[in-house]
């Protein structure tokens, strides 16, 4: 994954997909509630805010992970978190 996302074109495609996911969720959360008849003036604002928050968190999370993986492959800026966690899981580790 690191080798693929280190290529700028692959990273751009992955980020475009993350934006597409966010836009889809941005629209879909409200539309789903409207289709099911659950959207009314009393809860519409809360549904919109929750849907937008979900869209930003998921889309942004996918984008953030892709950028971090790409940066770690290009410049070694991100520490290897898995390697840091393994000694803690071994018998006699710091836990």
């Amino acid at each position: 994954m690191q080798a693929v996302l280190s290529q700028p074109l692959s990273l751009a495609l992955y980020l475009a997909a993350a934006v597409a996911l966010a836009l889809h969720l941005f629209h879909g959360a409200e539309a789903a509630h409207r289709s099911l008849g659950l959207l009314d003036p009393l809860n519409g604002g809360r549904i919109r805010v929750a849907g937008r928050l979900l869209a930003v968190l998921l889309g942004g999370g996918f984008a953030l992970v892709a950028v971090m993986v790409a940066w770690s492959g290009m410049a070694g800026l991100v520490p290897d978190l898995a390697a840091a966690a393994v000694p803690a899981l071994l018998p006699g580790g710091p836990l």
Side-chain angles (χ1 to χ4, degrees):
M1 184 78 157
Q2 191 176 37
V4 172
L5 289 176
S6 295
Q7 301 170 10
L9 184 60
S10 296
L11 178 60
L13 181 62
Y14 196 96
L15 292 176
V19 169
L21 171 69
L23 291 173
H24 180 68
L25 291 173
F26 190 86
H27 162 75
E30 183 179 345
H33 285 87
R34 181 177 288 123
S35 294
L36 294 171
L38 301 174
L39 187 69
D40 59 34
L42 295 176
N43 66 2
R46 284 179 282 168
I47 289 173
R48 286 182 192 94
V49 168
R52 291 172 182 172
L53 182 63
L54 177 70
V56 169
L57 288 175
L58 285 176
F62 276 107
L64 180 64
V65 168
V67 169
M68 296 294 277
V69 168
W71 278 351
S72 69
M74 288 188 274
L77 297 176
V78 179
D80 188 1
L81 298 177
V86 169
L89 301 176
L90 296 175
L95 294 178

